[in-house]
Amino acid sequence: MAAIGYGQTKKEVRWHCGGTLISEYYVLSAAHCMKSRPLRSKAKWALLGAMDLSADEEGRQIFDIVKRVAHPKYKPPSKSYDIILFKLSSSAKLNEYVRPACLNTDDSITAKTVTATGWGKTDYYNSNNNDVLLKVTLEITPKEDCLDAYRNESKRALPQGIHSSMICAGAPEGGKDTCEGDSGGPLTIGLKEPRCMYSIIGITSFGKFCGFATPAVYTRVSYFIPWILKEITN
């Protein structure tokens, strides 16, 4: 898990997005996290090995972001192709606090439940992000149900509707969700082997009202594997 920071200096850094370490040099996140509108700042820092953003924990590693590679088809206000790679200024040290996630390459996801993590708001009416990293267990939403939930979205936002490059997840009864501040963070499934490793299947992209029954939409990682591999090996 990575926190993405914004602001003019490290003293005034604000952690407004999440991301996922996928190699020693690259963090995967959402393209809309390239900039923070309130701070009028590009993503400048990546923090690894943190649980509590307000604490000076053992294992924390902070890096300058030296390169931002958004998918070439990402064109706001469209929410499609919401994926970006942040390159770190130096190699992350892999240890008991920091390790990369595996990239899910299978379009067919058989897991019934998935896990989302982030430092975002805990409900729609809460104006503050959290300092402590949280996780929530969600259910994969069938594509037909997700299409129904977003059928009335504008063509500018979803010109292709819920595209095959997206995956939806939520809680049918409501009450569990990702929210503002969780953007760019991972949607994962745990792996039996290797031990204590996770496979990232989605990137937190957008939703409607946090914690309501409407599912949120995530960028489907498997769809972008060729692009990711091309960029990180250049």
Side-chain angles (χ1 to χ4, degrees):
M1 184 75 202
I4 306 301
Y6 308 80
Q8 298 306 313
T9 67
K10 286 184 181 179
K11 289 184 178 181
E12 60 180 22
V13 63
R14 296 292 183 269
W15 306 104
H16 285 177
C17 271
T20 307
L21 186 72
I22 60 169
S23 75
E24 289 93 333
Y25 278 96
Y26 281 95
V27 168
L28 191 65
S29 187
H32 75 266
C33 288
M34 180 184 286
K35 294 181 181 179
S36 169
R37 289 183 180 177
L39 298 179
R40 298 182 180 180
S41 166
K42 287 185 178 180
K44 289 189 175 183
W45 297 285
L47 174 64
L48 304 175
M51 287 290 290
D52 187 340
L53 297 177
S54 64
D56 187 17
E57 299 168 312
E58 181 182 2
R60 286 167 65 107
Q61 300 177 41
I62 188 168
F63 302 87
D64 292 338
I65 291 174
V66 295
K67 189 177 180 181
R68 307 164 190 85
V69 186
H71 194 278
K73 289 187 178 181
Y74 177 67
K75 306 290 182 185
S78 170
K79 300 179 185 295
S80 302
Y81 304 98
D82 190 13
I83 186 171
I84 194 169
L85 286 161
F86 293 128
K87 186 175 183 180
L88 307 180
S89 54
S90 59
S91 174
K93 296 176 182 178
L94 305 184
N95 52 36
E96 65 268 36
Y97 301 104
V98 174
R99 64 185 66 189
C102 299
L103 294 170
N104 181 61
T105 59
D106 189 355
D107 288 333
S108 59
I109 298 168
T110 57
K112 293 182 179 180
T113 59
V114 292
T115 302
T117 48
W119 290 276
K121 293 162 48 172
T122 53
D123 64 68
Y124 179 69
Y125 302 102
N126 184 357
S127 60
N128 298 318
N129 289 355
N130 287 279
D131 285 332
V132 178
L133 183 65
L134 300 175
K135 68 178 180 179
V136 63
T137 300
L138 303 172
E139 298 178 24
I140 296 294
T141 305
K143 186 174 181 180
E144 296 74 18
D145 294 344
C146 199
L147 283 168
D148 288 341
Y150 288 90
R151 196 172 300 281
N152 294 326
E153 286 290 303
S154 73
K155 288 294 183 181
R156 293 183 68 199
L158 291 174
Q160 299 169 295
I162 299 299
H163 188 249
S164 55
S165 62
M166 301 171 177
I167 186 171
C168 301
E173 71 282 6
K176 296 191 294 183
D177 202 357
T178 46
C179 199
E180 185 179 344
D182 291 321
S183 290
L187 187 70
T188 61
I189 52 177
L191 299 176
K192 292 182 179 179
E193 293 292 337
R195 182 175 174 270
C196 292
M197 291 287 284
Y198 294 83
S199 180
I200 175 172
I201 65 170
I203 301 165
T204 303
S205 183
F206 67 95
K208 286 191 174 180
F209 303 103
C210 311
F212 287 55
T214 304
V217 182
Y218 300 80
T219 303
R220 186 188 293 266
V221 170
S222 60
Y223 184 91
F224 294 96
I225 293 297
W227 175 79
I228 293 170
L229 295 179
K230 176 186 174 185
E231 293 299 334
I232 67 176
T233 54
N234 277 345

